[in-house]
Amino acid sequence: MVLAGRERELGELTEVFESAMLGRGGVAVISGPVGSGRTVLLHEFGRLAGQAGARVLYAECSPAERYLAGGVVGQLLGAMGQPGSRGWPDLLEMAQDVPTVLAIDDVDWADDTSLEILLSVVRRLRTARLLVAMTTSPDRRPFSPVSAAEELLHRPYNRRVELAPLSPAMVRDLIAERMGRQLADQLAGDTHRLTGGSPLLVRAIMKDLEDRGEAGAAFGDAVAACVHRCGATVIRVAEAIAVLGAHASTDMVSELASVGDHQAERVTRRLERAGVLTDGRFGHEVGRRAVIDRMSATRRTQMHRLAAQLLHIAGRPVTDVAACLLTAGWSAENWAARVLVTAGRQHLHDEAPVVAVRCFELALASGSADAERMIRKALSAQAEGCPTSADAGLHLSELLLDRLPEPLAADMCRRLSWRGRPAATARAPRQGWHGTPYPGCGKMPATARGQVERSTRSTDPKHADGVTAEQRTVTVNGQAPPVGKRSGEDTRESDLRRRAELLSEAERRVAVRAAQGRTNREIAEELYITRSTVEQHLTRIYRKLQVRTKEDLGRLAAALPFAEDDIVPC
């Protein structure tokens, strides 16, 4: 399974090995993009060579040891109990008694001294029972500036083994081997499209398909690993593409990643060859999110803030600009506050009140003098429009009372009520986007609270006592309850469900796992967020659901209105 689809390349290496064992030494260069399986192929070849009676010595190169003189040769000779080196004679002497294979992984990062010694060995291989097998990436730069580097990899007698991406037929065979032919026929096309035929990504997505039926953590980890195996420039470009999403044009990527247009295009093509990108975009949201989640909090904030500015200047949709501002938690300029309010109004029109109120509260946190005026205007226009559904109106009222400054929220709830929208009872003010209470949002006086309650009560004469027709027809053991009252259990469950609707998608994911008894660390690892973020989510969850601990949350879990796909296995 590990080498499925690489039988041809393994056969080429075996041919070179057999020739070397007859006294005609040689060089095999295994080349392919990141994630193509170069290292796996090298080690499998080394295992087979060892079974055939050869001595196999391994060395791994890395950027950290790039300037450690003689580091690679030291690894090879150290494996033979010969620390230190007299140069190429030591390596040639090893092959006099026993056929020898020198397996060097990522030779691109070899130090200059080792490269000079290896080149001296290669020049004298024609009559030695010695094979030098190296892996290299055609895209990787910088390579060593010494002339030995280029000659070592491009001598005319080298045998080059190019690792091409897996074909759709190979991907189908791999899936069939683990999941059966029927599923392979269904999944092969999408799997090849998402992975570009990269063996690393194909194996990862197959694991996810077996575990959960769709791309998940294993695929995201594999995408992030492919990106972070490359240099700093590749990482910056990949992060810029991930942040910009559908708006990742060459000019914007180069601006956000601080590289030239030509370099941005070259790196994008390299990531496409590795299967990480498809047509310059991440093929799946899981991979895009994995790259973003591995950014430091400071860098993630800076990148999304700059991306918002670039998208705003380019005239992209305000909802996309606002999404970057919300991730950055930044609205310190007037244009940002205006974008957030406009986006909030659009989200209200699309019946997405949770995101709308997030936009409004971040706009208020900017301190802009015009922010509250613009929000009043946006909410007034919403109140004057035709109500789309009672549930949407109730949800919006709850959000306003829970998260916006009390005077603004109360006024807007009155407007919504006058226009026939249901509004919730006013409550104590809550905190803003960053967890800091808004200025002047003290506890609402009892008289003002009563005024808001009266003004938001239904004005329908049939419901003057606050009891709906449905409530009047409810019976308990055949007896109608007193007017204006319901069963205490129904009331509590209804209130809990209403409060649970205030949870954001991220908070809901944390709440589900906390209710199942997960620790903060386990939740953070499962959702790829920091423990600090988990604690912030739990603080808001406890406040919204009016509970104090995870144990309280667990006792209420059965009554929470979570969808089936929210539930995770214990």
Side-chain angles (χ1 to χ4, degrees):
M1 169 59 193
V2 173
L3 276 177
R6 296 302 187 199
E7 293 82 1
R8 179 185 61 80
E9 291 84 352
L10 190 59
E12 292 183 34
L13 291 174
T14 302
E15 290 179 10
V16 182
F17 170 73
E18 292 174 349
S19 176
M21 297 307 97
L22 296 175
R24 297 188 295 271
V27 177
V29 180
I30 305 171
S31 178
V34 62
S36 60
R38 301 186 310 263
T39 300
V40 174
L41 179 61
L42 179 67
H43 281 267
E44 179 64 13
F45 166 67
R47 184 184 68 82
L48 295 177
Q51 291 179 350
R55 176 195 293 125
V56 183
L57 306 178
Y58 291 98
E60 296 183 0
C61 310
S62 69
E65 299 179 356
R66 172 70 183 82
Y67 299 101
L68 180 62
V72 175
V73 172
Q75 291 183 55
L76 297 171
L77 295 178
M80 287 295 297
Q82 300 179 25
S85 171
R86 295 185 294 114
W88 57 266
D90 289 330
L91 294 174
L92 289 175
E93 287 175 6
M94 289 188 299
Q96 290 181 355
D97 299 325
V98 181
T100 303
V101 175
L102 305 182
I104 306 170
D105 195 18
D106 285 335
V107 72
D108 306 319
W109 299 116
D111 60 278
D112 295 345
T113 301
S114 294
L115 287 171
E116 296 282 4
I117 294 175
L118 288 172
L119 181 58
S120 298
V121 171
V122 168
R123 287 170 176 166
R124 295 166 173 81
L125 279 181
R126 304 298 297 179
T127 58
R129 292 192 298 172
L130 179 66
L131 173 64
V132 180
M134 303 175 288
T135 68
T136 180
S137 171
D139 300 312
R140 183 171 291 152
R141 292 293 184 272
F143 195 64
S144 173
V146 300
S147 59
E150 201 69 23
E151 183 179 352
L152 180 65
L153 290 177
H154 297 94
R155 287 177 59 83
Y157 299 106
N158 289 359
R159 180 69 172 266
R160 297 194 68 85
V161 180
E162 301 287 347
L163 298 186
L166 301 178
S167 67
M170 292 177 180
V171 172
R172 184 180 296 106
D173 291 340
L174 287 177
I175 299 176
E177 184 178 335
R178 289 179 60 168
M179 306 176 67
R181 177 61 60 179
Q182 183 176 358
L183 280 177
D185 292 338
Q186 298 174 3
L187 302 173
D190 288 340
T191 300
H192 187 270
R193 178 181 59 81
L194 288 178
T195 63
S198 166
L200 175 65
L201 299 182
V202 170
R203 289 196 297 270
I205 204 168
M206 281 196 296
K207 183 179 185 304
D208 283 331
L209 290 174
E210 288 180 324
D211 294 344
R212 51 182 291 172
E214 61 180 358
F219 180 70
D221 290 343
V223 170
C226 285
V227 170
H228 285 268
R229 287 180 184 178
C230 306
T233 300
V234 176
I235 295 175
R236 290 203 310 273
V237 171
E239 289 174 345
I241 294 173
V243 169
L244 291 168
H247 302 290
S249 60
T250 300
D251 55 341
M252 283 196 176
V253 169
S254 63
E255 182 73 21
L256 189 57
S258 300
V259 299
D261 289 354
H262 176 72
Q263 196 171 18
E265 288 182 359
R266 183 169 59 82
V267 171
T268 300
R269 301 291 85 77
R270 173 179 177 179
L271 292 173
E272 288 177 346
R273 287 192 293 272
V276 174
L277 301 180
T278 302
D279 296 329
R281 308 284 189 276
F282 284 90
H284 198 284
E285 180 66 12
V286 168
R288 189 181 78 88
R289 289 304 318 174
V291 173
I292 293 177
D293 290 343
R294 280 160 178 75
M295 299 166 63
S296 67
T298 300
R299 179 161 178 76
R300 184 162 53 244
T301 297
Q302 292 173 342
M303 292 280 283
H304 280 88
R305 175 178 168 179
L306 179 56
Q309 294 172 328
L310 294 174
L311 293 175
H312 177 63
I313 293 172
R316 301 303 166 88
V318 290
T319 51
D320 293 341
V321 180
C324 289
L325 292 172
L326 289 174
T327 302
W330 178 83
S331 60
E333 297 181 10
N334 286 335
W335 70 266
R338 288 195 299 271
V339 165
L340 287 165
V341 174
T342 305
R345 186 170 182 174
Q346 180 63 46
H347 285 304
L348 286 178
H349 180 270
D350 296 336
E351 294 193 21
V354 174
V355 184
V357 174
R358 286 181 61 197
C359 291
F360 291 154
E361 65 175 339
L362 183 56
L364 285 172
S366 69
S368 171
D370 296 332
E372 184 170 335
R373 178 183 59 79
M374 291 187 294
I375 293 173
R376 285 183 182 276
K377 184 176 179 180
L379 291 173
S380 297
Q382 176 70 9
E384 292 170 3
C386 296
T388 53
S389 68
D391 289 341
L394 177 60
H395 200 179
L396 176 58
S397 301
E398 286 280 358
L399 289 165
L400 293 175
L401 291 167
D402 191 57
R403 299 170 70 171
L404 294 185
E406 193 84 27
L408 174 60
D411 178 60
M412 288 302 103
C413 284
R414 284 195 294 271
R415 291 176 180 269
L416 289 169
S417 177
W418 292 340
R419 293 294 173 179
R421 293 179 180 271
T425 302
R427 295 178 300 204
R430 298 297 192 261
Q431 60 190 13
W433 176 255
H434 295 288
T436 305
Y438 290 109
C441 294
K443 187 173 182 179
M444 190 175 187
T447 54
R449 183 184 304 280
Q451 180 181 0
V452 173
E453 291 176 358
R454 289 191 296 274
S455 66
T456 57
R457 190 175 299 158
S458 175
T459 57
D460 187 341
K462 296 179 181 179
H463 303 155
D465 57 0
V467 184
T468 65
E470 290 78 9
Q471 291 172 340
R472 294 180 188 278
T473 60
V474 174
T475 61
V476 180
N477 295 327
Q479 301 294 324
V483 174
K485 296 182 180 179
R486 294 186 298 173
S487 165
E489 182 178 350
D490 290 343
T491 302
R492 286 193 299 273
E493 183 172 339
S494 176
D495 289 344
L496 180 60
R497 287 179 174 274
R498 187 185 62 208
R499 293 196 300 269
E501 290 176 356
L502 301 178
L503 299 178
S504 67
E505 182 180 350
E507 290 167 354
R508 190 176 68 248
R509 290 196 295 266
V510 172
V512 171
R513 288 157 176 81
Q516 292 181 329
R518 302 281 210 280
T519 65
N520 290 2
R521 180 176 181 178
E522 291 172 339
I523 296 173
E525 292 176 349
E526 192 168 343
L527 297 179
Y528 301 102
I529 57 180
T530 65
R531 274 185 282 181
S532 175
T533 302
V534 173
E535 292 168 359
Q536 294 172 16
H537 283 321
L538 286 174
T539 299
R540 290 192 287 268
I541 291 167
Y542 294 159
R543 172 172 55 79
K544 292 178 180 180
L545 299 183
Q546 298 180 12
V547 298
R548 293 178 179 274
T549 64
K550 288 183 181 178
E551 289 73 17
D552 296 337
L553 186 61
R555 286 191 289 271
L556 297 175
L560 294 175
F562 295 133
E564 278 189 36
D565 55 0
D566 288 330
I567 307 304
V568 294
C570 295

